[in-house]
mmCIF file of all heavy atoms in Angstrom:
data_model
loop_
_atom_site.group_PDB
_atom_site.id
_atom_site.type_symbol
_atom_site.label_atom_id
_atom_site.label_comp_id
_atom_site.label_asym_id
_atom_site.label_seq_id
_atom_site.Cartn_x
_atom_site.Cartn_y
_atom_site.Cartn_z
ATOM 1 N N SER A 265 49.910 -70.701 -185.357
ATOM 2 C CA SER A 265 50.119 -71.442 -186.599
ATOM 3 C C SER A 265 49.036 -72.490 -186.840
ATOM 4 O O SER A 265 49.123 -73.251 -187.784
ATOM 5 C CB SER A 265 51.499 -72.107 -186.586
ATOM 6 O OG SER A 265 51.714 -72.742 -185.342
ATOM 7 N N GLY A 266 48.038 -72.503 -185.963
ATOM 8 C CA GLY A 266 46.890 -73.355 -186.235
ATOM 9 C C GLY A 266 47.130 -74.824 -185.947
ATOM 10 O O GLY A 266 48.173 -75.216 -185.488
ATOM 11 N N THR A 267 46.125 -75.629 -186.265
ATOM 12 C CA THR A 267 46.183 -77.039 -185.908
ATOM 13 C C THR A 267 47.070 -77.855 -186.838
ATOM 14 O O THR A 267 47.409 -78.972 -186.531
ATOM 15 C CB THR A 267 44.772 -77.655 -185.921
ATOM 16 O OG1 THR A 267 44.185 -77.333 -187.182
ATOM 17 C CG2 THR A 267 43.903 -77.101 -184.810
ATOM 18 N N ASN A 268 47.454 -77.268 -187.962
ATOM 19 C CA ASN A 268 48.259 -78.053 -188.903
ATOM 20 C C ASN A 268 49.625 -78.428 -188.354
ATOM 21 O O ASN A 268 50.243 -79.366 -188.819
ATOM 22 C CB ASN A 268 48.460 -77.283 -190.221
ATOM 23 C CG ASN A 268 47.170 -77.251 -191.023
ATOM 24 O OD1 ASN A 268 46.267 -78.055 -190.746
ATOM 25 N ND2 ASN A 268 47.079 -76.337 -191.961
ATOM 26 N N THR A 269 50.095 -77.651 -187.364
ATOM 27 C CA THR A 269 51.421 -77.947 -186.825
ATOM 28 C C THR A 269 51.362 -79.022 -185.742
ATOM 29 O O THR A 269 52.380 -79.472 -185.279
ATOM 30 C CB THR A 269 52.073 -76.689 -186.227
ATOM 31 O OG1 THR A 269 51.193 -76.200 -185.209
ATOM 32 C CG2 THR A 269 52.297 -75.627 -187.264
ATOM 33 N N ARG A 270 50.149 -79.417 -185.376
ATOM 34 C CA ARG A 270 50.023 -80.497 -184.389
ATOM 35 C C ARG A 270 50.498 -81.810 -184.999
ATOM 36 O O ARG A 270 50.537 -81.959 -186.211
ATOM 37 C CB ARG A 270 48.562 -80.630 -183.951
ATOM 38 C CG ARG A 270 48.067 -79.469 -183.111
ATOM 39 C CD ARG A 270 48.509 -79.623 -181.665
ATOM 40 N NE ARG A 270 47.947 -80.842 -181.074
ATOM 41 C CZ ARG A 270 46.718 -80.925 -180.600
ATOM 42 N NH1 ARG A 270 45.917 -79.879 -180.636
ATOM 43 N NH2 ARG A 270 46.280 -82.049 -180.092
ATOM 44 N N THR A 271 50.834 -82.736 -184.118
ATOM 45 C CA THR A 271 51.442 -83.953 -184.636
ATOM 46 C C THR A 271 50.472 -85.124 -184.764
ATOM 47 O O THR A 271 50.878 -86.244 -184.942
ATOM 48 C CB THR A 271 52.596 -84.383 -183.725
ATOM 49 O OG1 THR A 271 52.097 -84.414 -182.398
ATOM 50 C CG2 THR A 271 53.749 -83.418 -183.829
ATOM 51 N N ALA A 272 49.171 -84.819 -184.672
ATOM 52 C CA ALA A 272 48.203 -85.913 -184.748
ATOM 53 C C ALA A 272 48.365 -86.696 -186.051
ATOM 54 O O ALA A 272 48.480 -86.111 -187.122
ATOM 55 C CB ALA A 272 46.796 -85.343 -184.667
ATOM 56 N N PRO A 273 48.411 -88.009 -185.965
ATOM 57 C CA PRO A 273 48.655 -88.818 -187.165
ATOM 58 C C PRO A 273 47.407 -89.109 -187.969
ATOM 59 O O PRO A 273 47.454 -89.890 -188.881
ATOM 60 C CB PRO A 273 49.216 -90.110 -186.572
ATOM 61 C CG PRO A 273 48.559 -90.223 -185.244
ATOM 62 C CD PRO A 273 48.353 -88.818 -184.754
ATOM 63 N N GLN A 274 46.282 -88.483 -187.626
ATOM 64 C CA GLN A 274 45.038 -88.696 -188.353
ATOM 65 C C GLN A 274 44.723 -90.186 -188.417
ATOM 66 O O GLN A 274 44.730 -90.799 -189.480
ATOM 67 C CB GLN A 274 45.152 -88.110 -189.767
ATOM 68 C CG GLN A 274 45.373 -86.619 -189.742
ATOM 69 C CD GLN A 274 46.127 -86.126 -190.958
ATOM 70 O OE1 GLN A 274 46.324 -86.847 -191.908
ATOM 71 N NE2 GLN A 274 46.564 -84.894 -190.921
ATOM 72 N N HIS A 275 44.463 -90.727 -187.226
ATOM 73 C CA HIS A 275 44.247 -92.166 -187.149
ATOM 74 C C HIS A 275 43.115 -92.650 -188.037
ATOM 75 O O HIS A 275 43.114 -93.770 -188.490
ATOM 76 C CB HIS A 275 43.930 -92.568 -185.694
ATOM 77 C CG HIS A 275 45.103 -92.384 -184.798
ATOM 78 N ND1 HIS A 275 46.380 -92.668 -185.206
ATOM 79 C CD2 HIS A 275 45.195 -91.948 -183.527
ATOM 80 C CE1 HIS A 275 47.217 -92.417 -184.212
ATOM 81 N NE2 HIS A 275 46.523 -91.968 -183.195
ATOM 82 N N GLY A 276 42.123 -91.769 -188.243
ATOM 83 C CA GLY A 276 40.958 -92.201 -189.003
ATOM 84 C C GLY A 276 41.204 -92.266 -190.504
ATOM 85 O O GLY A 276 40.472 -92.911 -191.228
ATOM 86 N N ALA A 277 42.247 -91.588 -190.961
ATOM 87 C CA ALA A 277 42.493 -91.517 -192.396
ATOM 88 C C ALA A 277 42.942 -92.874 -192.939
ATOM 89 O O ALA A 277 43.664 -93.597 -192.274
ATOM 90 C CB ALA A 277 43.573 -90.479 -192.687
ATOM 91 N N PRO A 278 42.485 -93.218 -194.118
ATOM 92 C CA PRO A 278 42.884 -94.508 -194.678
ATOM 93 C C PRO A 278 44.383 -94.519 -195.005
ATOM 94 O O PRO A 278 44.901 -93.558 -195.559
ATOM 95 C CB PRO A 278 42.046 -94.609 -195.955
ATOM 96 C CG PRO A 278 41.690 -93.204 -196.313
ATOM 97 C CD PRO A 278 41.629 -92.443 -195.023
ATOM 98 N N ALA A 279 45.038 -95.582 -194.617
ATOM 99 C CA ALA A 279 46.460 -95.694 -194.920
ATOM 100 C C ALA A 279 46.627 -96.231 -196.325
ATOM 101 O O ALA A 279 45.773 -96.955 -196.819
ATOM 102 C CB ALA A 279 47.116 -96.636 -193.926
ATOM 103 N N ARG A 280 47.714 -95.875 -196.943
ATOM 104 C CA ARG A 280 47.992 -96.431 -198.260
ATOM 105 C C ARG A 280 48.496 -97.856 -198.081
ATOM 106 O O ARG A 280 49.379 -98.116 -197.289
ATOM 107 C CB ARG A 280 49.066 -95.602 -198.955
ATOM 108 C CG ARG A 280 48.549 -94.230 -199.330
ATOM 109 C CD ARG A 280 49.334 -93.714 -200.489
ATOM 110 N NE ARG A 280 50.080 -92.527 -200.093
ATOM 111 C CZ ARG A 280 51.079 -92.045 -200.814
ATOM 112 N NH1 ARG A 280 51.495 -92.666 -201.877
ATOM 113 N NH2 ARG A 280 51.692 -90.964 -200.425
#
Side-chain angles (χ1 to χ4, degrees):
S265 46
T267 52
N268 287 343
T269 58
R270 290 279 298 279
T271 51
Q274 298 152 11
H275 292 322
R280 291 206 244 164

